[in-house]
Amino acid sequence: MKYTKVNTVDSYQGQEKDVIIFSCVRTEGVGFLNDRLRVNVALTRARKCLIVVANFSSLQTDKTWKSLWLNAKQRGLIRDIPKSCTNLVDLLKPQAKKNK
């Protein structure tokens, strides 16, 4: 049986799931996202696919998040989501590399 489970980062301590969508869009003051141990739990629970939905312009004030963002950008894994987006599946498809 396939289903969607919504829970907090702390609830996934010691567990893994095939796909994790980690939403950290409410980043005023960054909050618990400054706690490297809790961030580690959030980022290491996915077996096959981790999708981080975030306002990275806010998160880049933290060196751990900035490093994660830079690494993902270098590997072509960053997707900007336009406000007009109605189909998130299209955003997950591989994008052609842009010529510099």
Side-chain angles (χ1 to χ4, degrees):
M1 177 179 176
K2 305 242 180 195
Y3 63 93
T4 301
K5 180 178 179 182
V6 178
N7 223 325
T8 65
V9 168
D10 295 323
S11 72
Y12 280 97
Q13 181 72 41
Q15 296 182 53
E16 290 181 331
K17 300 293 179 192
D18 286 341
V19 178
I20 300 280
I21 300 173
F22 177 46
S23 173
C24 48
V25 294
R26 297 184 70 190
T27 56
E28 284 297 318
V30 183
F32 92 88
L33 298 174
N34 278 328
D35 183 340
R36 293 179 71 191
L37 295 175
R38 291 178 82 193
V39 169
N40 180 57
V41 170
L43 299 179
T44 60
R45 301 301 100 186
R47 286 187 204 112
K48 298 178 181 178
C49 179
L50 171 66
I51 300 168
V52 178
V53 180
N55 177 349
F56 276 100
S57 58
S58 294
L59 289 177
Q60 287 188 47
T61 60
D62 177 84
K63 69 179 184 175
T64 300
W65 284 100
K66 185 173 185 172
S67 178
L68 175 73
W69 183 84
L70 288 171
N71 179 277
K73 183 174 175 132
Q74 289 170 347
R75 296 187 305 147
L77 300 174
I78 300 291
R79 303 290 188 272
D80 289 324
I81 302 173
K83 290 182 180 185
S84 62
C85 179
T86 59
N87 186 355
L88 291 178
V89 173
D90 289 340
L91 293 172
L92 300 177
K93 294 176 183 173
Q95 294 180 341
K97 298 238 181 196
K98 295 177 182 176
N99 292 333
K100 292 182 178 181

